[in-house]
Amino acid sequence: MQNPVDDPILDIRGLVKTYKGGVTALGAAGGVDLAIRKGEIFALLGPNGAGKTTLIGAVCGLVRPSGGTISAFGLDVNKHWREVRRRIGLVPQELSFDMFDLVIRQVRYSRGMFGLAPDEARIEEVLRALSLWDKKDEPIRKLSGGMKRRVMIAKALAHDPDILFLDEPTAGVDVELRRDMWEQIDALRARGTTIILTTHYIEEAQEMADRVGVINKGRILLVDDKDAIMAKLGRTEAHFTLDQPMVTIPAALAGFPVALEEDGRRLVYRGGDGTGKGKREVAQLAQELTRHGINFVGMETRESTLEEIFVGLLNDQAQEAVA
């Protein structure tokens, strides 16, 4: 469930989208509710076909919802579509521009399309920020895939949107270009732009996002602050390499969530709740091993990643569906 958001910049309530043939892309078990805070980076995670792109399309006027309401900047999107759309930027998954046109003309056109006056200084600023200035007079078809992706971002930024949607912005982009893009995204947040992104690179969401939502099969499974998710759902794992293999776990360790692996040569702890409980139990476990003369020659600990939590949520939903 999502924590309440006061005065959201984007407020989605009971959103449903059903296509012909009865296929429900959003709101499969009740409508989708989602509120986005002004100035945050919000990461929407989900597998292919989860409903991420449909949700973005509904907000941007590319998909007509079957039910529910969408409010942006305090305005009903259905009633004030043009006004709302002028304040939203979208970088879609698919590249969409005239491949034979010049970079700078495409970015200028995008700004003018939203009714803004020409501003060559702003166009130059955007292109320089994305390392495109030296490519400004190049036909887009001659650019690499990563540079074409940058042009898409430049077009979305040309009209200075208050909300920026990034649908898989770094897909197919090499590591260096990806890093440059995230620097630009961080600069946009500093300017107050609200950024909503979908990504398959969950480590990016873990590093950059303020809040995270998980969607699958048209349902929002979880929305919360990133740190709160890690605290609530994170787990600790510790591996003790034993000096001598054990056949069974001694009764003294029965209170710990442990198992023997590698023919009894490794004792593995998996537990905790992300609040520090796991680290405390691992310390207690080490003390118990020493107290009972069970020697270990190595110990490794690690905390859950956001990706592991994400996969766990999807697995839980799959098991619920089977049940």
Side-chain angles (χ1 to χ4, degrees), residues 1 18 21 23 28 41 120 125 141 149 169 192 196 222-223 240 246 248 275 290 300 307:
M1 297 296 292
T18 302
V23 177
I41 295 182
E120 289 302 301
E125 181 183 4
R141 62 187 174 84
R149 179 69 61 181
I196 304 165
L222 174 72
V223 175
F240 293 85
M246 289 194 301
T248 59
T275 64
T290 301
E300 298 177 1
E307 181 167 6

Side-chain angles (χ1 to χ4, degrees), residues 33-110:
D33 295 335
L34 183 63
I36 304 298
R37 300 167 180 158
K38 178 177 172 56
E40 74 173 332
I41 295 182
F42 182 88
L44 186 61
L45 307 179
N48 289 334
K52 305 185 298 296
T53 300
T54 302
L55 180 63
I56 291 174
V59 176
C60 294
L62 304 176
V63 173
R64 183 182 295 275
S66 305
T69 62
I70 304 172
S71 174
F73 319 109
L75 301 173
D76 186 313
V77 171
N78 187 47
K79 296 178 180 178
H80 305 276
W81 181 83
R82 291 186 182 278
E83 183 176 351
V84 169
R85 187 63 182 89
R86 278 197 296 267
R87 300 176 63 182
I88 293 176
L90 169 63
V91 181
Q93 288 190 46
E94 301 298 326
L95 299 177
S96 59
F97 32 51
D98 182 349
M99 290 288 183
F100 293 90
D101 202 0
L102 305 182
V103 169
I104 195 165
R105 282 209 301 248
Q106 280 286 294
V107 178
R108 284 173 181 155
Y109 174 77
S110 185

Side-chain angles (χ1 to χ4, degrees), residues 42-206:
F42 182 88
L44 186 61
L45 307 179
N48 289 334
K52 305 185 298 296
T53 300
T54 302
L55 180 63
I56 291 174
V59 176
C60 294
L62 304 176
V63 173
R64 183 182 295 275
S66 305
T69 62
I70 304 172
S71 174
F73 319 109
L75 301 173
D76 186 313
V77 171
N78 187 47
K79 296 178 180 178
H80 305 276
W81 181 83
R82 291 186 182 278
E83 183 176 351
V84 169
R85 187 63 182 89
R86 278 197 296 267
R87 300 176 63 182
I88 293 176
L90 169 63
V91 181
Q93 288 190 46
E94 301 298 326
L95 299 177
S96 59
F97 32 51
D98 182 349
M99 290 288 183
F100 293 90
D101 202 0
L102 305 182
V103 169
I104 195 165
R105 282 209 301 248
Q106 280 286 294
V107 178
R108 284 173 181 155
Y109 174 77
S110 185
R111 181 177 177 84
M113 187 175 63
F114 289 97
L116 274 70
D119 188 340
E120 289 302 301
R122 177 56 182 153
I123 297 298
E124 179 177 348
E125 181 183 4
V126 169
L127 292 176
R128 286 191 182 278
L130 291 165
S131 300
L132 285 169
W133 184 246
D134 63 338
K135 304 288 186 181
K136 67 182 186 301
D137 296 319
E138 290 277 349
I140 293 174
R141 62 187 174 84
K142 291 187 177 181
L143 301 181
S144 68
M147 298 303 276
K148 288 174 183 173
R149 179 69 61 181
R150 289 188 183 212
V151 175
M152 291 293 294
I153 294 177
K155 288 181 61 179
L157 296 179
H159 66 289
D160 298 318
D162 296 305
I163 295 177
L164 178 63
F165 282 98
L166 300 168
D167 197 2
E168 297 289 347
T170 57
V173 173
D174 63 44
V175 174
E176 183 178 358
L177 293 183
R178 191 181 306 160
R179 184 175 60 247
D180 290 346
M181 285 185 186
W182 281 109
E183 288 177 357
Q184 175 67 6
I185 290 168
D186 206 28
L188 287 170
R189 172 168 53 180
R191 293 177 54 175
T193 305
T194 301
I195 298 168
I196 304 165
L197 67 99
T198 72
T199 179
H200 280 106
Y201 299 103
I202 299 178
E203 69 276 11
E204 291 184 339
Q206 184 165 348

